[in-house]
Amino acid sequence: AKLYMMGGQICSQELIASTLTNNDKKQNLDRARKFYQRGLQNCANNVILWILASRLEESVGFLTKARSLLELGRLKNPKNPSLWLEAIRLESRDNNDKLAVTLMARALQECPQSGLLLAENISIAPRAEQKAKAADAIKKCPDDPLVIIAVASLFASERKVEKARKWFQRGVILNQDIGDSWAKYYAFEKEVGDEEKQKAVKDQCVSADPKHGELWCMIMKDMKNRKLTIVEGLELVATHIAKQKLLIN
């Protein structure tokens, strides 16, 4: 599966090169599609392949095809929170907020105990509904690190600094391997904390040596970032989070 992913991603990245002719771009698109198609034929249970194939179609404007790939992926891999989350985010990126809400409701029916989905449900909810969504998520998954970090981010957005700090700390302790959690915690301390608190988060993150996390992996595995130290990676991911306002606001 890794070979198909790498081949598809290399061709996909070449699509955005401004120096390529339209014919070259079409050839790269066709090559990327073939890598993913072969991969999915041989590894239909590989969720990342379904997501990458869908994102390829989305990147060239074929949203209907992107949706159908995610639907087929969910049929082949039922009760998979990551495929549901990608479908929800696809609609959000396309400004189909009502459809995103509908998909979230369906996703939580199929995966009611998914911390991944419950955390996202807090993040995307209208401000007036976030507290209720957070309370529901904590009730269902009281020790899920993604839920705990989402609640911490909610407290941060309300400027409840001490509460937020306590929940961020709890979240990174529950699972020290999630780089995104460390980066959100560090972005929070960069905004409201002093140098001592920022250094404490950096030191803890270095000791934890995180290897997972959606943003963490995307940024740290980028070819141009391969030689970054953990501290440099933490700074980069935290800056990305602050810019994209991924802390609930």
Side-chain angles (χ1 to χ4, degrees):
K2 194 170 184 179
L3 175 66
Y4 300 118
M5 280 189 266
M6 288 175 65
Q9 284 176 302
I10 290 168
C11 294
S12 299
Q13 287 170 357
E14 289 176 353
L15 275 173
I16 61 176
S18 58
T19 55
L20 292 181
T21 65
N22 287 336
N23 187 54
D24 287 337
K25 288 184 178 180
K26 185 180 183 302
Q27 287 181 348
N28 277 327
L29 175 60
D30 290 341
R31 281 201 292 266
R33 278 177 173 154
K34 284 176 183 175
F35 269 114
Y36 291 143
Q37 284 167 1
R38 287 198 295 269
L40 291 171
Q41 284 168 2
N42 291 295
C43 314
N45 63 341
N46 189 293
V47 170
I48 297 173
L49 268 174
W50 287 105
I51 291 172
L52 288 173
S54 173
R55 286 182 183 175
L56 173 67
E57 300 301 336
E58 182 187 1
S59 72
V60 291
F62 295 134
L63 294 179
T64 301
K65 195 164 186 178
R67 290 185 184 101
S68 66
L69 277 166
L70 292 174
E71 287 171 9
L72 184 57
R74 294 198 302 273
L75 283 173
K76 300 272 188 184
N77 302 276
K79 297 185 178 181
N80 187 282
S82 295
L83 286 170
W84 276 111
L85 181 60
E86 184 64 20
I88 292 160
R89 288 180 173 173
L90 171 63
E91 299 309 336
S92 294
R93 290 192 291 268
D94 196 38
N95 296 315
N96 292 326
D97 292 338
K98 286 186 177 178
L99 185 51
V101 169
T102 301
L103 283 173
M104 178 61 83
R106 287 175 56 198
L108 287 171
Q109 279 185 327
E110 191 170 296
C111 312
Q113 302 296 319
S114 167
L116 181 71
L117 291 171
L118 289 166
E120 184 79 2
N121 199 30
I122 297 168
S123 301
I124 65 173
R127 169 71 72 177
E129 297 176 20
Q130 285 180 324
K131 283 187 179 180
K133 301 285 188 189
D136 180 59
I138 292 167
K139 184 178 179 182
K140 288 178 178 173
C141 297
D143 295 316
D144 187 281
L146 298 178
V147 169
I148 300 304
I149 292 294
V151 174
S153 297
L154 177 58
F155 285 136
S157 73
E158 296 173 341
R159 298 295 179 260
K160 295 177 179 176
V161 173
E162 289 308 318
K163 269 192 174 182
R165 184 172 285 128
K166 180 180 175 182
W167 283 72
F168 275 123
Q169 186 64 39
R170 184 178 169 212
V172 295
I173 288 172
L174 279 168
N175 188 337
Q176 298 188 39
D177 199 39
I178 304 175
D180 291 21
S181 298
W182 288 107
K184 288 181 181 180
Y185 186 10
Y186 184 58
F188 163 75
E189 291 295 5
K190 283 186 78 172
E191 185 180 351
V192 303
D194 55 28
E195 286 187 13
E196 185 181 344
K197 287 185 170 60
Q198 292 165 26
K199 184 179 184 302
V201 176
K202 282 196 284 191
D203 290 346
Q204 288 176 59
C205 182
V206 169
S207 296
D209 190 14
K211 295 289 193 293
H212 294 91
E214 183 181 5
L215 276 172
W216 185 266
C217 289
M218 181 184 77
I219 290 173
M220 294 297 279
K221 289 184 179 180
D222 189 314
M223 291 301 291
K224 66 177 181 289
N225 297 329
R226 290 269 174 164
K227 294 183 178 180
L228 291 183
T229 64
I230 294 172
V231 170
E232 289 168 340
L234 181 65
E235 292 279 3
L236 195 60
V237 180
T239 299
H240 180 88
I241 286 169
K243 282 182 179 177
Q244 298 297 318
K245 296 184 179 177
L246 295 181
L247 287 171
I248 297 171
N249 48 45

